[in-house]
Amino acid sequence: MDFEADDRPSEPDPSSSEHKTSKFTVAVLGAVAVVLVLIGTDVALVSGAQQPKPRPIVQVVKMSGAPAVQPIVYLTVAPEIKPGPDGKLHDAFTVTNFQVHAGQPIKLVINNADSVPHSINSPTAGVNIVAKPGVHSYSLVVSRTGSFEWYCMMPCDPFSMATVGYMRGYITSV
């Protein structure tokens, strides 16, 4: 068998500049890899040895076991805002439970996003607030202690009017 010189794969000449360049590139990449591994190890060891930054301690303290009462409660009432179990959107207040101190007023800031009035009505608590469309402030005072259900007495979504958490909720007076 005769082979011509062009048919054989040629081996790079170890003394060629191309071979020296590829050896140099491999050596540089290897050195860079070693340096990156050393830096990564150093970062891991240093950050693991340091104390974590102190975080503030947030603790709610209730005095004498009484629930916390907010002096101002912000809420919105809007049509078709809250999904119901039927998969449809229903009218709702965003906040339906309030805590008050008996005989002391709290301020309700109500954003009625609907085009009709809604209300917070609880005859047993002596509360009757009519929330006009727009943003308005109202005073809520309950004279005695207890848990009182309230409801919206303005005709709107029948499901919402009958369901706590939509257009019904509770006022807890302590």
Side-chain angles (χ1 to χ4, degrees):
M1 276 170 85
D2 290 332
F3 288 105
E4 292 186 24
D6 292 338
D7 290 345
R8 286 183 272 151
S10 62
E11 294 293 323
D13 181 13
S15 62
S16 73
S17 63
E18 184 180 311
H19 185 69
K20 289 179 183 177
T21 304
S22 67
K23 275 188 170 181
F24 178 74
T25 303
V26 170
V28 168
L29 289 175
V32 168
V34 169
V35 168
L36 289 175
V37 167
L38 291 173
I39 290 173
T41 304
D42 188 35
V43 168
L45 290 174
V46 169
S47 63
Q50 293 178 349
Q51 293 292 332
K53 292 181 181 179
R55 292 195 262 171
I57 296 173
V58 179
Q59 187 176 14
V60 176
V61 178
K62 292 182 181 180
M63 302 303 287
S64 70
V69 174
Q70 301 298 322
I72 302 175
V73 176
Y74 297 90
L75 59 118
T76 298
V77 58
E80 299 178 355
I81 192 169
K82 188 173 181 180
D86 57 2
K88 296 179 183 176
L89 293 176
H90 295 279
D91 299 353
F93 280 84
T94 56
V95 176
T96 58
N97 296 325
F98 313 99
Q99 294 184 349
V100 300
H101 288 295
Q104 298 179 8
I106 66 166
K107 182 178 180 180
L108 293 180
V109 178
I110 302 174
N111 175 12
N112 182 351
D114 202 350
S115 59
V116 298
H118 289 280
S119 70
I120 296 175
N121 185 283
S122 177
T124 55
V127 174
N128 185 15
I129 296 172
V130 176
K132 301 176 281 186
V135 179
H136 303 282
S137 296
Y138 305 90
S139 181
L140 174 66
V141 180
V142 178
S143 59
R144 59 191 178 110
T145 60
S147 181
F148 307 96
E149 186 173 5
W150 68 266
Y151 56 90
C152 177
M153 67 179 193
M154 303 297 183
C156 60
D157 179 348
F159 171 83
S160 296
M161 292 182 73
T163 308
V164 171
Y166 289 80
M167 301 298 271
R168 288 182 167 272
Y170 287 93
I171 302 168
T172 303
S173 178
V174 293

